[in-house]
């Protein structure tokens, strides 16, 4: 029995309905998931069998970016949107390795994330977990809680790691990002990772991306978009891209030489960091 199965009453969730956050938790080797979440992920892996490596690569990329922004760029406050369930090497643990004064605010509105996040992620007076919807930037930025913990007049890091590909087109994810960017102070950074459809860049990977998207929907999660490079780049409008720009995750300032050739699945996610000047 997973810990999620033992905490149904506490979390107030329906174990028969899969959750994005719990599916990711299962993928990363966590314990806060139900059988419905495992089934969704296993269905996805029949289309993209190396999805475990995709999740691991996304976490490694997150670590590299957070270290860069806090250590090299001097950012001391972070807004982690759609943060999901606690996992290994959470954002505040990375950011506070060298500077315990870095403030980290996690945001999610999944009921299980709220319960577990407040249990685990509010580890010290500089970390907080908010129950809020990342698709409503004005509500979030105008909330008393965000303004209590973050100084919106100063630069921050805004994180959208593996989140926007779960925002459907009819919700206007590019418009959501424009509203966030408009509210950020100059000198702020935005990091985004997103499922990638190479379209006419690579026919083989394009077919694989379409197969993965169908699998995620058919598996019961009902959300997940593999978008083109141009569609993902539009989320950074108004920002100056930090070199090397929007690239496959292993290409963004890797920690050393590649030990193997990336699996095709690993090439179906891009990451980038932009700075507001």
């Amino acid at each position: 029995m997973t810990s999620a199965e033992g905490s149904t009453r506490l979390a107030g969730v329906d174990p028969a309905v899969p959750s994005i956050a719990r599916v990711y938790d299962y993928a990363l080797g966590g314990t806060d998931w139900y059988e419905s979440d495992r089934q969704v992920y296993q269905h996805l892996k029949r289309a993209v069998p190396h999805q475990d490596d995709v999740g691991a690569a996304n976490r490694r990329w997150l670590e590299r970016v957070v270290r860069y922004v806090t250590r090299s760029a001097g950012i001391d406050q972070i807004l982690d949107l759609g943060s999901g369930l606690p996992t290994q090497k959470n954002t505040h643990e990375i950011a506070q390795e060298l500077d315990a004064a870095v403030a980290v605010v996690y945001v999610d509105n999944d009921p299980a994330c709220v319960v577990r996040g407040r249990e685990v992620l509010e580890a010290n007076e500089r970390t907080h977990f908010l129950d809020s919807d990342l698709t409503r930037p004005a509500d979030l930025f105008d909330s008393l809680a965000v303004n209590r913990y973050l100084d919106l007049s100063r630069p921050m890091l805004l994180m959208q790691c593996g989140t926007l590909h779960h925002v459907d087109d009819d919700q206007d994810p590019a418009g959501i990002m424009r509203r966030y960017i408009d509210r950020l102070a100059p000198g702020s950074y935005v990091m985004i990772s997103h499922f990638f459809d190479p379209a006419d860049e690579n026919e083989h990977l394009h077919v694989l991306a379409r197969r993965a998207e169908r699998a995620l929907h058919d598996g019961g999660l009902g959300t997940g978009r593999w978008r083109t490079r141009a569609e993902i780049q539009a989320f950074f409008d108004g920002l100056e891209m930090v070199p090397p720009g929007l690239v496959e995750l292993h290409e963004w300032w890797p920690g050393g030489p590649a030990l193997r050739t990336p699996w095709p699945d690993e090439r179906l996610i891009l990451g980038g960091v932009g700075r507001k000047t």
Side-chain angles (χ1 to χ4, degrees):
M1 182 176 72
T2 69
S3 65
E5 290 173 318
S7 60
T8 303
R9 182 178 58 83
L10 176 63
V13 298
D14 183 351
V17 179
S19 150
I20 295 166
R22 296 196 310 268
V23 170
Y24 276 128
D25 183 67
Y26 175 81
L28 292 169
T31 58
D32 291 293
W33 49 270
Y34 299 108
E35 177 61 19
S36 61
D37 307 304
R38 188 194 69 81
Q39 290 178 3
V40 166
Y41 188 69
Q42 291 301 325
H43 187 75
L44 174 62
K45 285 188 66 175
R46 284 193 279 274
V48 278
H50 297 287
Q51 194 66 20
D52 291 354
D53 297 289
V54 175
N58 193 48
R59 294 304 301 183
R60 291 193 299 270
W61 176 78
L62 182 154
E63 289 186 38
R64 296 198 302 276
V65 175
V66 170
R67 287 195 177 100
Y68 163 75
V69 172
T70 55
R71 298 179 186 184
S72 299
I75 296 297
D76 63 0
Q77 49 181 2
I78 299 174
L79 185 61
D80 187 345
L81 299 174
S83 52
L85 286 156
T87 185
Q88 298 174 345
K89 277 290 185 181
N90 295 293
T91 299
H92 74 277
E93 294 170 315
I94 303 162
Q96 295 172 356
E97 281 176 344
L98 288 183
D99 185 356
V102 175
V104 178
V105 173
Y106 296 96
V107 174
D108 210 301
N109 64 349
D110 182 290
C113 292
V114 174
V115 173
R116 290 287 291 142
R118 287 177 173 161
E119 287 177 354
V120 177
L121 297 178
E122 292 188 334
N124 55 58
E125 63 180 11
R126 303 294 290 172
T127 64
H128 307 278
F129 196 100
L130 303 183
D131 179 0
S132 192
D133 185 345
L134 68 83
T135 68
R136 301 170 67 98
D139 290 353
L140 186 59
F141 271 43
D142 291 339
S143 71
L144 292 176
V146 165
N147 284 271
R148 181 182 307 125
Y149 302 131
L150 300 176
D151 182 352
L152 302 185
S153 69
R154 296 177 51 248
M156 73 171 67
L157 168 63
L158 185 141
M159 301 172 58
Q160 291 273 28
C161 296
T163 53
L164 291 172
H165 49 234
H166 294 297
V167 178
D168 290 335
D169 292 345
D170 59 4
Q171 294 179 279
D172 188 18
I176 289 170
M177 284 310 303
R178 280 195 300 273
R179 292 192 288 277
Y180 274 119
I181 291 167
D182 285 347
R183 296 289 296 270
L184 292 175
S188 293
Y189 288 79
V190 174
M191 61 184 293
I192 299 171
S193 60
H194 194 294
F195 289 153
F196 172 49
D197 177 359
D200 56 4
E201 293 183 35
N202 185 308
E203 179 62 24
H204 171 69
L205 292 179
H206 167 64
V207 170
L208 188 61
R210 306 298 350 127
R211 188 186 306 155
E213 184 171 298
R214 286 195 299 272
L216 201 57
H217 284 254
D218 294 347
L221 195 58
T223 179
R225 287 274 284 110
W226 274 250
R227 293 189 168 99
T228 66
R229 186 180 302 273
E231 289 174 314
I232 301 169
Q233 186 64 62
F235 300 149
F236 293 95
D237 280 357
L239 301 176
E240 177 183 284
M241 296 301 291
V242 174
L246 182 63
V247 294
E248 294 175 22
L249 299 185
H250 65 275
E251 297 176 329
W252 203 97
W253 291 100
L259 300 178
R260 61 170 174 80
T261 301
W263 297 111
D265 317 33
E266 292 176 282
R267 302 188 61 194
L268 297 180
I269 185 168
L270 299 183
V273 181
R275 182 178 182 272
K276 183 172 182 178
T277 58

